[in-house]
Amino acid sequence: MRADARRNYERLLVEARAAFAEHGTDASLEDIARRAGVGIGTLYRHFPNRHALMNAVFRDALESLLERSRQLASAEQPCGALVEWLRALITHTGEYRGVARALMSASLSQCSEPLREAGAVLLARAQGAGVVRADVSIGDLMQLTNAIALAAEQAPEDPALPDRLLRLTLRGLGA
């Protein structure tokens, strides 16, 4: 990528992060391009659609979650590791309005598939230790965490809601 194209790409990501944080993932792409100092055509050359832009914006957070899952994969307490990772996932998903809905609809497949794989490792360890029911799938957990993040998004006046809902969910996972 040429230096000017790389700068445009980086500015678009910075402005998209800010716009998604402020207005949610439905933020205006035209506004993002304007704030980045480029035309809408430049935005579309780098990101052919909204989902491509969203995947790029969330890539850094994805890497952080994947790194955390690798660290937790060898934790002494498999169930504690799974719970810690689920909390981190809910926190990440709740940072931008609309992310939970996008993950649930597979709009962020470039993000959701690696997360599923990382979570599956932690889930398998917890199931192997006999602390999580064998019939729980990573798909179930991903849907539940996204639903918790979505519920929290709808009730910003209750910051304790995500943790409360996660605790309720975890009671049903026990072996």
Side-chain angles (χ1 to χ4, degrees):
M1 199 181 286
R2 294 184 337 242
D4 61 331
R6 186 79 189 150
R7 280 190 305 272
N8 288 342
Y9 179 88
E10 292 301 326
R11 282 196 317 257
L12 284 164
L13 285 179
V14 166
E15 294 304 331
R17 277 187 196 97
F20 290 164
E22 186 178 346
H23 304 290
T25 55
D26 291 331
S28 163
L29 296 183
E30 290 81 6
D31 186 48
I32 292 170
R34 184 187 50 72
R35 289 168 55 171
V38 300
I40 191 68
T42 299
L43 183 144
Y44 281 117
R45 272 193 296 285
H46 289 289
F47 309 101
N49 56 49
R50 178 178 300 277
H51 301 297
L53 178 58
M54 289 167 54
N55 275 297
V57 164
F58 303 128
R59 194 171 298 131
D60 289 341
L62 170 68
E63 284 308 313
S64 174
L65 286 167
L66 294 177
E67 176 57 31
R68 189 64 189 132
S69 73
R70 287 188 286 273
Q71 294 167 353
L72 291 168
S74 59
E76 258 184 62
Q77 296 185 355
C79 188
L82 177 63
V83 171
E84 183 177 331
W85 189 77
L86 291 173
R87 275 196 178 99
L89 182 58
I90 291 167
T91 299
H92 158 67
T93 305
E95 288 178 10
Y96 300 96
R97 281 191 331 268
V99 172
R101 186 177 58 240
L103 283 169
M104 289 174 90
S105 70
S107 297
L108 291 176
S109 59
Q110 291 176 353
C111 292
S112 61
E113 283 308 312
L115 288 174
R116 281 175 172 278
E117 292 168 11
V121 170
L122 297 172
L123 174 60
R125 286 193 68 232
Q127 288 171 322
V131 291
V132 174
R133 294 175 13 192
D135 64 340
V136 174
S137 74
I138 191 58
D140 296 337
L141 288 182
M142 296 296 289
Q143 290 291 342
L144 287 169
T145 55
N146 287 331
I148 290 169
L150 189 57
E153 181 181 304
Q154 302 302 313
E157 72 285 351
D158 186 1
L161 180 65
D163 201 53
R164 234 179 20 256
L165 291 176
L166 181 59
R167 281 195 317 272
L168 286 169
T169 299
L170 293 173
R171 286 187 193 130
L173 298 177

